[in-house]
Amino acid sequence: MRLLFLGDVLGRAGRNAVCEALPDLRARLAADFVIVNGENAAGGFGITEVICQDLLDAGADVVTTGNHVWDQREALVFIGRQPRMLRPLNFPSGTPGLGAGLFRATNGADVLVLNVMGRVFMDALEDPFKMVEREITACPLKRGADAIFIDFHAEATSEKQALGAAFDGRVTAVIGTHTHVPTADARVLPGGTAYLTDAGMCGDYNSIIGMDKEEPVHRFLTRIPSGRFTPALGPATICGAFIEIDDATGLATSIVPVRDGAALGGKR
Amino acid sequence: MRLLFLGDVLGRAGRNAVCEALPDLRARLAADFVIVNGENAAGGFGITEVICQDLLDAGADVVTTGNHVWDQREALVFIGRQPRMLRPLNFPSGTPGLGAGLFRATNGADVLVLNVMGRVFMDALEDPFKMVEREITACPLKRGADAIFIDFHAEATSEKQALGAAFDGRVTAVIGTHTHVPTADARVLPGGTAYLTDAGMCGDYNSIIGMDKEEPVHRFLTRIPSGRFTPALGPATICGAFIEIDDATGLATSIVPVRDGAALGGKR
Amino acid sequence: MRLLFLGDVLGRAGRNAVCEALPDLRARLAADFVIVNGENAAGGFGITEVICQDLLDAGADVVTTGNHVWDQREALVFIGRQPRMLRPLNFPSGTPGLGAGLFRATNGADVLVLNVMGRVFMDALEDPFKMVEREITACPLKRGADAIFIDFHAEATSEKQALGAAFDGRVTAVIGTHTHVPTADARVLPGGTAYLTDAGMCGDYNSIIGMDKEEPVHRFLTRIPSGRFTPALGPATICGAFIEIDDATGLATSIVPVRDGAALGGKR
Amino acid sequence: MRLLFLGDVLGRAGRNAVCEALPDLRARLAADFVIVNGENAAGGFGITEVICQDLLDAGADVVTTGNHVWDQREALVFIGRQPRMLRPLNFPSGTPGLGAGLFRATNGADVLVLNVMGRVFMDALEDPFKMVEREITACPLKRGADAIFIDFHAEATSEKQALGAAFDGRVTAVIGTHTHVPTADARVLPGGTAYLTDAGMCGDYNSIIGMDKEEPVHRFLTRIPSGRFTPALGPATICGAFIEIDDATGLATSIVPVRDGAALGGKR
Ligand SMILES: [Fe+2]
Ligand SMILES: [Fe+2]
Ligand SMILES: [Fe+2]
Ligand SMILES: [Fe+2]
Ligand SMILES: [Fe+2]
Ligand SMILES: [Fe+2]
Ligand SMILES: [Fe+2]
Ligand SMILES: [Fe+2]
């Protein structure tokens, strides 16, 4: 089985790039299942119902989110009628929407997708380790699900690597999001779980984490906000990871970074 | 001119790997100048005089550090007699040692090396933007220095990208350290500054940021320390970046990641 | 019913002051129940079995704790055989000891004591609001307990006031600890819950939050640790609160600060 | 000499209470100099030129601020023409306005007022210890100023007590603000500096730190914003401190809390 994940889609630049490239990318990779993190798809902050549908129409099977999930207030409502969008699992019980779901891939496999947030340097949600444990105990690999994918939306590399290590061998993949910078440590952990600290964003990298450089730089220099953050609108780079899964075990056999679009290259 | 940088050397595994590989690596890349971040070289926490000398003997011209610089108390003393070791520039005035220095490369060029710490999710030091501004105003590119290298030891991707953007075109390179995970965004910024959000560590990646997995995972699960963090002792991977510099401008013409040793690869 | 609470006992100075004063204080106030926070009783960091017993012998019915509960490793063990010591309720399930208990007062009343930690500017434990809700739903005021006391060990005034407001009318008292400074806002909230943002510590106030001034001041000036924090050993002030409870409702009729010992006064 | 300080004025409730009470309070206490922290005077967030003038007209000699100083954008402009309003001293150089000023009291004395922000759990500004040192070195007690007053706008009790200890004997008073809860530790430190960890706010205490309870409680329960924070509009309590100063030394002889208005009392 073949699974494609794309990191935080940022604003119009990221959205357009993903919507244009995804049909082709999906076909080229012969992906059976596609997950896209859409938490910054609407102007950099949150996601609307229309944009969520656009990502699904372009070829995503599931849209995950993160700390920005509720930035567009309508998300609190439309998530109730859109089972293909997940919000972080570790919001308090009673929160609209779900943080986990079992979805059918095109090859007929059932993929359990978990969207979880870290707590180091982030908001105080429920324990991500405990929440993941609960979900995969209820629906274990090869007994309840043919593959288990975790989008771990977190800041600290330690917390991300610890979650990978804690569930190595029991889930197909742990891929980090949130920092908007792709890491170069994609690997299959000893137990068979594909791991990547951060997928990076889908957006314009000539920016500060996807935003126009001027305001963030100004804030660092002056410590005073002088306006809003607005998404950078230059050519976007699509970042993510492609995972091949052993159908017999549900574990990963390989993970490779996906990079498409404007150069993030080392040459001038 | 050709410059090699290696990220946080972690414990014995990282130290041995760097000391063995660096002579060859330096020769193979024909590097004129080598900088190594040694903040975790002594058992994961700080650096001793002997270890610092080992890194210099192996081919480093300068050893930079970070938040762990004083973990070995002797560092407060020996830094006074070791001008080739830097501590973060933005400690309060009166702090032992220096955070910036002008060093002669083998090609005769003068390289200004700055070691600076970020403040987002980190300790409250002096303003890194202001401190860098002060140093490069006093010793500007091509007037005071043939190349200016910044090791920006910081946690947040936003702060790292902002520092890169703020000094793009005025320094040769801004390379991040501290997260112990290499990022895949090495590039030359529009103004000519080589940039990489994090160089990654030199250490055993079958670990939690270089440490044996058991104790950190246990802490995340229980929220209770049950012992010390100890460096992982498996085969190390050397991570860093190699930068080519236009001698006419002091700006970068290319930056490529350096990766050497045990696999950080995507295959199982 | 009459309840006495004393804030974080700090080191030998605090311990001696409490052990000497408590028998008398308890008698003078005709307290039916006494709770003492002992998280800093052992040299400023944690608590030992012997010290816990000393506090109980001096007249405490229950010893509560906080973020320092495990600083003395033996606490992980002896808490299992000492039902009168509580650790914060919102550690993960499986943590040794309990965070809540029902205790018999000298007047025959059953007092439910909850020890909970805040999360703002503190460690990521379970949701304190949810945990309190669960406990008081299981054992409600006047149906399961004659009085319900919450030691809310937290940093931020907003979180403390919010917990008070959220459970106003359903618990007898919410008293904050952890900042080591008594606040001057003791009051009965509109619903009948006695509230105090922080009880203050029992220790030497000629200090930095109970510790000898030199090292903490030095760290703020230099940003470098130069030694350990050691408890200040001057004359201690006992700080806490005394609460009168309406036996018919289990709610508070009054709360007054308790202050005893070395002057914390406004005159020189 | 006699000095009156009032803590963070919060919204209309706090503003009205201060403007009504201050003329009388100033007269009754025969205060020679009055300082009021106005950072939350405009709807809870920042301060406008009109409101600043109202506070001055009511009897304040100086209006101090804090982290909310720029919430009303006009403050960046009008602070340039209002020398009696201070912003935190430790914003980067180049920031509009001043963080320190020498003002003439009604008794003819020259009072140096410093407005400084803490960094623990707060934004990364310049080192408050260094900035205070610089100012009082330039204008020392009894040589440059007859009294030196510091409004230390900070979160952590440790940082506040450390600043008090660090400058004890060299300044007249260190009074904390920002937590919106008055502390009960007003005292003259051994060196002669009046100290109070927090003055508390001037506002409606039937609230969460001055704001209507509903939204903050809801956020703690759900971790999701559902609206704006709005100031509580019930009867306000004025909180502050009154300091008597030895004219010969410029040091404090006494500090007593000031409390006026709606009850913050212990009885129901
Ligand atoms: Fe994001
Ligand atoms: Fe995010
Ligand atoms: Fe490091
Ligand atoms: Fe570091
Ligand atoms: Fe404590
Ligand atoms: Fe504590
Ligand atoms: Fe305030
Ligand atoms: Fe404030």
Side-chain angles (χ1 to χ4, degrees), chain A residues 221-247:
Chain A
L221 295 174
T222 65
R223 316 303 309 181
I224 304 175
S226 74
R228 295 178 164 229
F229 291 126
T230 52
L233 296 174
T237 301
I238 288 176
C239 284
F242 175 66
I243 298 160
E244 287 180 292
I245 302 165
D246 178 344
D247 291 341

Side-chain angles (χ1 to χ4, degrees), chain A residues 119-121 129 155-159 161-162 165-166 179 181-188 190-192 197 205-209 213 217 220-221 223 252-255 259 264-268, chain B residues 119-121 129 155-159 161-162 165-166 179 181-188 190-192 197 205-209 213 217 220-221 223 252-255 259 264-268:
Chain A
R119 300 197 291 186
V120 177
F121 309 136
F129 291 81
E155 175 74 33
T157 50
S158 56
E159 194 175 19
Q161 293 187 350
T179 72
V181 174
T183 58
D185 63 339
R187 63 192 186 272
V188 178
T197 294
Y205 278 81
N206 184 13
S207 68
I208 309 300
I209 58 169
K213 288 181 274 193
V217 169
F220 275 110
L221 295 174
R223 316 303 309 181
T253 54
S254 73
I255 172 170
R259 179 83 53 101
L264 245 186
K267 295 258 164 172
R268 203 184 177 182
Chain B
R119 300 197 290 184
V120 176
F121 310 134
F129 292 80
E155 174 74 34
T157 50
S158 57
E159 193 176 21
Q161 293 187 348
T179 72
V181 174
T183 58
D185 63 337
R187 62 194 186 272
V188 179
T197 295
Y205 277 81
N206 184 12
S207 67
I208 309 299
I209 59 169
K213 285 180 278 192
V217 168
F220 276 111
L221 294 174
R223 317 302 310 178
T253 53
S254 74
I255 172 170
R259 179 83 53 101
L264 244 186
K267 295 259 168 175
R268 207 185 173 180

Side-chain angles (χ1 to χ4, degrees), chain A residues 65-86:
Chain A
T65 56
N67 54 311
H68 286 292
V69 58
W70 313 122
D71 286 1
Q72 304 293 327
R73 308 290 303 160
E74 64 175 274
L76 284 161
V77 177
F78 85 76
I79 198 170
R81 54 182 177 248
Q82 180 45 274
R84 292 186 170 276
M85 182 170 117
L86 299 177

Side-chain angles (χ1 to χ4, degrees), chain D residues 172-240:
Chain D
T172 309
V174 171
I175 308 288
T177 53
H178 179 65
T179 72
H180 294 194
V181 174
T183 57
D185 62 339
R187 63 193 186 271
V188 179
L189 299 176
T193 296
Y195 176 81
L196 176 60
T197 294
D198 207 294
M201 68 164 175
C202 299
D204 175 7
Y205 278 81
N206 185 13
S207 68
I208 309 299
I209 58 168
M211 296 294 168
D212 215 78
K213 287 180 277 194
E214 196 178 330
E215 174 63 16
V217 168
H218 186 264
R219 284 199 200 179
F220 276 110
L221 294 174
T222 65
R223 316 304 309 179
I224 304 175
S226 73
R228 297 179 161 226
F229 292 126
T230 52
L233 295 174
T237 300
I238 289 175
C239 283

Side-chain angles (χ1 to χ4, degrees), chain D residues 39-170:
Chain D
E39 74 145 1
N40 307 106
F45 297 94
I47 185 166
T48 64
E49 188 164 20
V50 167
I51 289 174
C52 183
Q53 193 60 55
D54 286 349
L55 293 172
L56 295 169
D57 290 348
D61 292 288
V62 174
V63 172
T64 53
T65 57
N67 54 312
H68 287 291
V69 57
W70 313 121
D71 286 1
Q72 304 293 326
R73 308 292 301 162
E74 64 174 275
L76 284 160
V77 176
F78 85 75
I79 198 171
R81 55 184 178 245
Q82 180 44 275
R84 291 187 170 275
M85 182 172 115
L86 299 177
R87 46 82 179 164
L89 182 62
N90 43 348
F91 272 97
S93 65
T95 301
L98 295 169
L102 197 63
F103 302 92
R104 178 64 46 94
T106 52
N107 67 338
D110 287 321
V111 183
L112 176 64
V113 181
L114 306 184
N115 190 187
V116 198
M117 260 174 71
R119 300 197 290 185
V120 177
F121 310 135
M122 299 190 84
D123 205 24
L125 297 184
E126 299 288 312
D127 181 347
F129 290 80
K130 192 184 75 176
M131 299 302 276
V132 168
E133 181 65 50
R134 184 181 299 171
E135 293 294 326
I136 69 174
T137 300
C139 179
L141 199 56
K142 293 320 289 177
R143 277 176 291 147
D146 299 301
I148 301 179
F149 180 91
I150 301 179
D151 173 350
F152 189 34
H153 197 78
E155 176 73 32
T157 50
S158 56
E159 193 176 20
K160 284 159 144 174
Q161 293 187 349
L163 194 113
F167 296 105
D168 180 22
R170 297 175 63 202

Side-chain angles (χ1 to χ4, degrees), chain A residues 33-117:
Chain A
F33 199 74
V34 175
I35 302 161
V36 176
N37 185 303
E39 72 144 4
N40 307 106
F45 297 95
I47 184 165
T48 63
E49 187 164 22
V50 168
I51 289 173
C52 183
Q53 193 59 55
D54 286 350
L55 293 171
L56 294 169
D57 290 347
D61 292 289
V62 174
V63 172
T64 53
T65 56
N67 54 311
H68 286 292
V69 58
W70 313 122
D71 286 1
Q72 304 293 327
R73 308 290 303 160
E74 64 175 274
L76 284 161
V77 177
F78 85 76
I79 198 170
R81 54 182 177 248
Q82 180 45 274
R84 292 186 170 276
M85 182 170 117
L86 299 177
R87 46 80 180 168
L89 181 62
N90 44 348
F91 272 96
S93 64
T95 301
L98 295 169
L102 196 63
F103 303 91
R104 178 64 46 94
T106 53
N107 67 338
D110 287 321
V111 183
L112 176 64
V113 181
L114 307 183
N115 189 187
V116 199
M117 262 176 69

